[in-house]
Amino acid sequence: MKVVSNKDNLQILHEDNHIIVINKRVGDIVQGDKTGDKPLSEVVKEYIKEKYNKPGEVFLGVVHRLDRPTTGIVVFARTSKALTRLNELFSNRETQKTYWAIVKNKPEKEQDTLVHFLKRNEKNNTSKAHIKEVPESKKASLDYKIIKTLDNYFALEINLHTGRHHQIRAQLAAIGCPIKGDLKYGFDRSNSDGGIDLHARKLVFIHPVSKEVLEIIAPTPKNSIWNSI
């Protein structure tokens, strides 16, 4: 999955002297990896350098990540002070993260709390959800509710209590509701853009410097299914 990002098609959701928040597209990688593809962090640096006519290297701190096939809110720090405080906020779970997902199978309950123990498989980059604790597993918890019934799919709203590797993807697959397009977790076919229908929709957190409460909402990708929600 190769996406050529450039600073001209960045969707900026919030920007100030200390942070910048981007609506990530399918295929963008947040930080450089072994693929060698240009990461979103570098694209944002180029944007800042050009917009503010900054000489030399631009500081940009990666606070958290989103899986490459997902879309939605990504926060970057523009100062070291903001990065330190944002790292604390995210590691201490002092943020409210809301995701939207599209699944084909209707969950057994309209809304529920899911608790599993996730064990990561480094070889194939997946996490398996277990009902009971197993060696090297980590407890994972989330709430979901059905927010819309579509012709062939169901839209879910998910609130995370923990932040585990592929948590939403693995937990929804464990209840028989893999996310649309997510071949890795059991969906039967891929999406045409190679992505999955999981979107980081809303993030609420305290600004690391001004201390005001920020509520960021990311528009969904533009396609017929997301448009109908």
Side-chain angles (χ1 to χ4, degrees), residues 49 52-58:
K49 187 177 181 70
Y52 299 100
N53 197 23
K54 282 186 172 286
E57 182 72 15
V58 171

Side-chain angles (χ1 to χ4, degrees), residues 176-193:
C177 300
I179 294 166
K180 182 177 176 292
D182 199 355
L183 298 178
K184 190 170 270 193
Y185 286 93
F187 200 81
D188 57 2
R189 63 184 184 278
S190 60
N191 288 345
S192 58
D193 60 6

Side-chain angles (χ1 to χ4, degrees), residues 4-84:
V4 180
S5 287
N6 63 68
K7 61 187 181 298
D8 299 322
N9 61 17
L10 278 179
Q11 190 174 1
I12 298 164
L13 303 173
H14 176 91
E15 181 181 0
D16 61 43
N17 290 335
H18 295 279
I19 64 174
I20 183 166
V21 185
I22 305 295
N23 190 7
K24 185 183 100 62
R25 301 173 308 154
V26 164
D28 285 336
I29 46 171
V30 174
Q31 197 171 26
D33 65 5
K34 61 187 178 186
T35 64
D37 293 346
K38 189 175 188 176
L40 191 56
S41 55
E42 289 301 316
V43 178
V44 176
K45 278 185 183 181
E46 289 175 3
Y47 160 80
I48 291 169
K49 187 177 181 70
E50 185 174 301
K51 179 175 180 179
Y52 299 100
N53 197 23
K54 282 186 172 286
E57 182 72 15
V58 171
F59 177 89
L60 192 76
V62 177
V63 178
H64 65 124
R65 296 168 185 80
L66 280 184
D67 296 341
R68 188 164 191 175
T70 65
T71 56
I73 297 168
V74 179
V75 181
F76 294 100
R78 290 191 55 200
T79 61
S80 56
K81 180 178 174 181
L83 179 61
T84 300

Side-chain angles (χ1 to χ4, degrees), residues 31-187:
Q31 197 171 26
D33 65 5
K34 61 187 178 186
T35 64
D37 293 346
K38 189 175 188 176
L40 191 56
S41 55
E42 289 301 316
V43 178
V44 176
K45 278 185 183 181
E46 289 175 3
Y47 160 80
I48 291 169
K49 187 177 181 70
E50 185 174 301
K51 179 175 180 179
Y52 299 100
N53 197 23
K54 282 186 172 286
E57 182 72 15
V58 171
F59 177 89
L60 192 76
V62 177
V63 178
H64 65 124
R65 296 168 185 80
L66 280 184
D67 296 341
R68 188 164 191 175
T70 65
T71 56
I73 297 168
V74 179
V75 181
F76 294 100
R78 290 191 55 200
T79 61
S80 56
K81 180 178 174 181
L83 179 61
T84 300
R85 292 181 180 175
L86 284 170
N87 281 339
E88 288 173 2
L89 279 178
F90 276 77
S91 63
N92 295 333
R93 310 298 302 164
E94 294 171 21
T95 58
Q96 295 174 29
K97 297 178 182 177
T98 302
Y99 289 77
W100 282 2
I102 294 171
V103 299
K104 188 168 187 176
N105 302 324
K106 185 178 183 181
E108 196 174 305
K109 298 178 181 177
E110 291 284 322
Q111 57 184 53
D112 200 7
T113 298
L114 302 182
V115 178
H116 292 94
F117 293 89
L118 298 192
K119 183 171 181 177
R120 186 169 179 174
N121 183 329
E122 298 281 356
K123 284 185 180 177
N124 61 14
N125 191 33
T126 60
S127 288
K128 178 150 178 77
H130 299 267
I131 298 297
K132 295 181 179 178
E133 190 170 4
V134 299
E136 298 174 17
S137 64
K138 293 180 178 178
K139 189 175 182 179
S141 173
L142 60 79
D143 290 333
Y144 78 81
K145 64 180 178 182
I146 299 173
I147 54 172
K148 185 136 187 190
T149 299
L150 308 171
D151 288 343
N152 298 303
Y153 300 98
F154 298 88
L156 310 181
E157 183 170 277
I158 296 129
N159 288 297
L160 285 176
H161 307 151
T162 53
R164 306 302 184 199
H165 174 259
H166 289 185
Q167 179 178 336
I168 297 172
R169 299 167 68 179
Q171 287 197 270
L172 289 183
I175 63 166
C177 300
I179 294 166
K180 182 177 176 292
D182 199 355
L183 298 178
K184 190 170 270 193
Y185 286 93
F187 200 81

